[in-house]
Amino acid sequence: LLAWAELPKLIKVCDDGEEWPPYAYHERVEGKKSQNIVGYSVDLLKEIVAAKDIQISVELIPWSKCLNDLHEGKYDMTLNAGFNSERNHSYLMSRAFYTVTPVYFFDNSKKPPLLESVTDLKKYKLCGVKGYNYRAGFMLDKNSIDLTSTSIMQAFQGIKSGKCDLVPERLEPVVGYKIIKIYDYEADGISYRVIPRMEPVTFHMMVSKKISYSKELFEMINQGIKDLEHSEKNNALLKKYSIINSHN
């Protein structure tokens, strides 16, 4: 009880300004983007902190800035992060609470590349998004992929322009972009294939180490994820956001 007393009444959260549907994105009202941030991860965190009478504020800002600000303690946490050793060292990473499917996107006007394993990605020119983690699921370091794009949509334009052959990415958010009408990859002549013999990639919440209540916040989130994992509340959230591929 003394540990929980150290937590503030408002937890400051940042996440990717390019949006990460169906996990964290601007709600659309009559087709127009509102300032209200919704999504599975947002609602799950609200459920976790509600038991402690805590509120959250969520801002969607450039992803690299979110990570930097989190590292400096300007925000308390972020909602959606793939695991890698660097992040695990720099932040407190929660237990996994959902998974995404690693795939590769390509121009469907060209002969589709056939990958036998994830290591075959390195045979091609690859485009990705600055600040995104391509070690988890794709086993790519920064020297193996062009990370000059600031959004998934811009990375896809690299496919169309011939700058790159493939974009390795997580399937669910890209489908989410199509559903909420941010970007329709199929209308842009882009297709995808699942990387053979790949396990789904786990996603986690991350807490800043620079805040005085980092341990308490981290413990509350981890316990909350564990408690909600197989609950009716969690099942209702998964159904609400049409998520099938969830961590359990």
Side-chain angles (χ1 to χ4, degrees), residues 16-190:
D16 189 1
E18 293 297 325
E19 305 181 82
W20 193 249
Y23 307 102
Y25 61 98
H26 289 276
E27 183 180 22
R28 266 58 179 182
V29 179
E30 296 181 352
K32 295 182 180 180
K33 184 167 74 172
S34 73
Q35 293 305 306
N36 188 34
I37 310 300
V38 297
Y40 170 70
S41 304
V42 177
D43 285 5
L44 188 71
L45 181 59
K46 286 180 178 178
E47 287 286 348
I48 292 170
V49 302
K52 306 296 181 182
D53 195 27
I54 293 172
Q55 304 289 318
I56 67 170
S57 65
V58 183
E59 293 185 62
L60 302 187
I61 62 176
W63 181 239
S64 295
K65 177 173 172 54
C66 177
L67 293 180
N68 289 336
D69 286 357
L70 189 64
H71 189 265
E72 295 175 6
K74 295 179 181 178
Y75 289 93
D76 298 317
M77 60 177 292
T78 190
L79 294 168
N80 305 284
F83 182 93
N84 64 34
S85 57
E86 182 180 342
R87 289 178 178 177
N88 194 42
H89 175 75
S90 301
Y91 313 96
L92 298 175
M93 298 199 75
S94 77
R95 62 190 289 138
F97 68 105
Y98 71 87
T99 63
V100 291
T101 310
V103 301
Y104 59 96
F105 290 88
F106 57 91
D107 185 344
N108 62 20
S109 69
K110 300 176 182 177
K111 183 178 179 180
L114 298 176
L115 274 61
E116 294 183 2
S117 72
V118 69
T119 57
D120 287 341
L121 282 170
K122 294 183 179 180
K123 297 177 182 179
Y124 299 91
K125 293 184 294 181
L126 307 174
C127 284
V129 181
K130 182 180 179 181
Y132 279 21
N133 171 27
Y134 291 95
R135 292 178 191 169
F138 303 107
M139 296 191 292
L140 296 169
D141 58 35
K142 294 178 180 179
N143 297 322
S144 304
I145 183 169
D146 184 315
L147 297 175
T148 55
S149 298
T150 57
S151 69
I152 290 176
M153 290 73 79
Q154 189 176 354
F156 283 172
Q157 290 310 306
I159 296 177
K160 303 304 291 186
S161 69
K163 178 182 177 181
C164 54
D165 304 312
L166 308 175
V167 170
E169 203 43 80
R170 296 85 179 172
L171 176 61
E172 287 77 6
V174 179
V175 173
Y177 287 144
K178 180 179 178 181
I179 292 171
I180 65 173
K181 300 185 176 173
I182 295 178
Y183 175 74
D184 186 343
Y185 65 96
E186 292 179 317
D188 216 9
I190 292 173

